[in-house]
Amino acid sequence: METTLRGVGVSHGVAIGEVRHMGTAVLEPPAKQIPASDHGREQGRARQAVEAVAADLMARGNLAGGEAQAVLEAQAMIAQDPELMSDVDRRIVVGSTAERAVYDAFSHYRELLAGAGEYMAGRVADLDDVRNRIVARLLGVPMPGVPDSDEPYVLIARDLAPADTALLDPALVLGFVTEEGGPTSHSAILARALGVPAIVALPGAGELAEGTLVAVDGSTGEIFVDPSAEKQAELERSAAERKAALSASSGPGATSDGHKVPLLANVGGPADVPAAVEAGAEGVGLFRTEFLFLDDSAKAPSEEKQVEAYRKVLEAFPEGRVVVRVLDAGADKPLDFLTPADEPNPALGVRGLRSLLDHPEVLRTQLTALAKAAAGLPVYLEVMAPMVADRTDAKAFADACREAGLQAKFGAMVEIPSAALRARSILQEVEFLSLGTNDLAQYAFAADRQVGAVSRLQDPWQPALLDLISMSAEAAKAEGKSCGVCGEAASDPLLACVLTGLGVTSLSMGAASIPYVRATLAKYTLAQCERAASAARAADTAEDARKAAQAVLSGE
Ligand code: PEP
Ligand code: MG
């Protein structure tokens, strides 16, 4: 029997495939004492699990070949290390369960490695991975981390942290569904960047059995469990029709009467550039540079490594505009070398520009790397700071840019309500504003972006959020400066028309959304967008705002 579950659709398209769960971190097995009569059985279980994990790693190595094969074979050898195995046996004989003995033996070995010089310490992650695999097998829970699968699948996770993103293979992930996360969470942003259909805030998703066939409709937020062949065909047909209609749209973003609204791409690094170019992005409206820092949260990437990554993105848009955001660490994107470990409330703590002002050397290296990367290129470089609260913050950032000798426009993100309220004051220090509507909603509504239960308040159609956007856009107009949107609000085609009507001057979004926004914007005049914006702001709820804008635009 086909059943339907409903969440919040955050990335368009249809994905049909089998469910694979993202394994949660391995729990520490309880330290319980077993009787002597169980020792032999537990030793047998431990050996079987070790052998199965080693065989699995070898098999994957054979499939992968090349460098990956060498790494996986080395991991298989770690699993079968005779010293480790005798330690496991010894621990079982004194009363540990198999899983606890493996956990403790590996922890002991881990400590030795961690203290044995830089090269050995680098192997700790491999050791942890092997331990997690063996313990997960003994506990009968899914392997931690990204699923082991050679076949494409629909990924189900509680939530996805930005650090998980590096591990996802876009060729294998058909789509994904998370239990947590609102429409502006990083799970949603990642889905758009990958261009795969996705649904967030669907609490029952974790209960779907591994291997269940599902159809995910990222446009409506529905998952069909065990869909019939007719249902699958119907969903695929309508997705194909939508895609065909879209591919007919091309060229710069504009309303039907020619009011230009540049459509820019949000990127996390050079890997996202081809999709942006293919979607016809007129530049980059948000380069989230923190993704370059997530590989190794213990230290910042070197200046040379940064220059290389920035240059690749800048070169992709000759004569285009590229807005680079300096490192936005903290809260949901902590970095060990920057983020205080003991903050009671990290989203309200030292994050974004605040971290950089506390670590001026990190900001200086980033700005110098940007200046070097842009040298000699015809690109229009713009650099902006995340989490600007007031004019003091804006001035500190602009001063740092000037000191680094950066030839670029300096801007401030409007992500904190205080910045929207005092946008004209901030604009005395910088040349443009960019609205980060994800955080702006989080802080305006006191609703954590990561918490699915409050997703109603993160809805970018909330009239109070529209008011803050309108204030910022009007301030920029009065100062003769620009005000774009780079938060997820820009990727909703209908809302993009409303934002245009509110006076926003550019829209930046995940590449996959650009054709949808371009096609919708091209249907309406600027005056229609302005009327839709006024109608939306006059509503009292997000839902009524959406309906009111829709009614105006469809001429009802
Ligand atoms: C935002 O907050 O809207 C934004 C664009 O920044 P991020 O999503 O990376 O926090
Ligand atoms: Mg933000």
Side-chain angles (χ1 to χ4, degrees), residues 186 189 286 288 290 325 328 333 351 413 415 436-439 449 486-487:
H186 283 94
I189 294 169
L286 168 63
R288 287 187 165 97
E290 55 277 7
R325 171 173 78 186
D328 182 22
K333 293 173 283 193
R351 59 161 297 198
M413 286 188 76
E415 304 188 273
T437 48
N438 310 334
D439 277 316
R449 298 166 65 166
C486 65

Side-chain angles (χ1 to χ4, degrees), residues 221-278:
E222 289 171 314
I223 299 194
F224 302 92
V225 183
D226 289 325
S228 62
E230 297 80 64
K231 185 79 201 176
Q232 293 183 41
E234 178 198 319
L235 287 169
E236 274 169 347
R237 203 172 36 249
S238 61
E241 279 168 12
R242 246 178 282 161
K243 220 167 165 188
L246 287 172
S247 57
S249 94
S250 62
T255 58
S256 63
D257 55 339
H259 170 73
K260 287 198 167 42
V261 187
L263 302 179
L264 309 166
N266 290 355
V267 302
D272 295 335
V273 163
V277 172
E278 201 194 322

Side-chain angles (χ1 to χ4, degrees), residues 262-352:
L263 302 179
L264 309 166
N266 290 355
V267 302
D272 295 335
V273 163
V277 172
E278 201 194 322
E282 295 164 61
V284 168
L286 168 63
F287 179 176
R288 287 187 165 97
T289 55
E290 55 277 7
F291 285 95
L292 305 174
F293 287 67
L294 291 175
D295 280 354
D296 178 2
S297 96
K299 59 178 188 327
S302 66
E303 187 184 297
E304 298 70 50
K305 197 169 161 207
Q306 292 190 45
V307 172
E308 197 187 316
Y310 301 149
R311 198 161 174 100
K312 279 191 193 142
V313 175
L314 297 177
E315 277 172 350
F317 295 95
E319 315 278 328
R321 187 169 144 208
V322 175
V323 187
V324 180
R325 171 173 78 186
V326 292
L327 178 61
D328 182 22
D332 54 334
K333 293 173 283 193
L335 289 177
D336 293 347
F337 69 97
L338 276 187
T339 313
D342 52 355
E343 289 185 317
N345 203 336
L348 302 182
V350 182
R351 59 161 297 198

